[in-house]
Amino acid sequence: MKKGFTMIELLVVVSIMGILSAMGVASLHGAVVNNRVKDAAINVSAYLERVANETNRLSEKVCVRAVGKQIQATKGACPAKGALVSKYEFEGNENLSFDNSTGGGDCSKSWVGNSGVTFEPKFGLSAAPVEGCIVVKYGSGEKRARALKKKNKNNIIPQISYDSGANWMGL
C-alpha cells in the first residue's frame, strides 16, 4: 500500500490557500490606503506649521496656495506671487490630490484654490490664518485627510475621514 495524498486533497488545500491569500491581499490594500491618507494628513499639517514658523522668522507675509499636486509658499500677501519660500509635494502617489471643499461644518474656509491664503507674522502665536483647512482626497473613494486650523487653537490639527468628510477623527 502506497502512502501519500490524492490529487483531490491537494486541489482542496491549494484552493483554500488561494482564497485565504486573496482575502489577505484585499485587506493589505485597504491598510496601505489608510496609511497613505494618515501620512497625507500628518505631512500637510506639519508643512503648514513649518510655513507658519518660517513666516514668523522672516517677519513677512507668506502666501500659501495649492498648485497641482503641491503646496507652494511664496513671499507676500495673496494673490501676489513673490519669491518661493518652500513647497511640499505628494511624492510617489498619484492617487492623492487636493480637494477644494472644506470637508465639514467645523472648517469655515478652504485654503485650496488659486487665491491661496496669507500667513501673517504674529509674535508668540501661529502665523497661520485664524481658521481654515486643506483637504486631501485619495482617488475617487471616500477617504480624506485634512489639516485644520480652528479659531480657538494655536496649532494645525491633522484629521482623517473614511466617509467623504461627514465625520473627522484627529490623529
Side-chain angles (χ1 to χ4, degrees), residues 37-133:
V37 171
K38 286 179 186 177
D39 285 346
I42 291 168
N43 291 338
V44 169
S45 296
Y47 175 74
L48 293 173
E49 289 283 355
R50 191 178 99 196
V51 169
N53 290 336
E54 187 70 9
T55 300
N56 283 336
R57 187 187 71 76
L58 293 171
S59 293
E60 289 185 48
K61 292 181 180 180
V62 173
C63 179
V64 176
R65 69 170 60 91
V67 179
K69 288 195 171 257
Q70 64 179 229
I71 303 172
Q72 294 180 349
T74 55
K75 287 185 179 179
C78 292
K81 295 181 182 179
L84 185 67
V85 174
S86 65
K87 65 181 178 178
Y88 171 77
E89 185 172 357
F90 299 124
E91 293 182 18
N93 195 335
E94 65 281 348
N95 291 321
L96 290 172
S97 61
F98 294 105
D99 188 358
N100 203 17
S101 72
T102 59
D106 58 346
C107 177
S108 62
K109 180 181 185 228
S110 174
W111 292 348
V112 175
N114 292 335
S115 61
V117 64
T118 302
F119 281 48
E120 296 183 32
K122 298 174 191 153
F123 183 73
L125 296 172
S126 174
V130 175
E131 56 186 332
C133 63

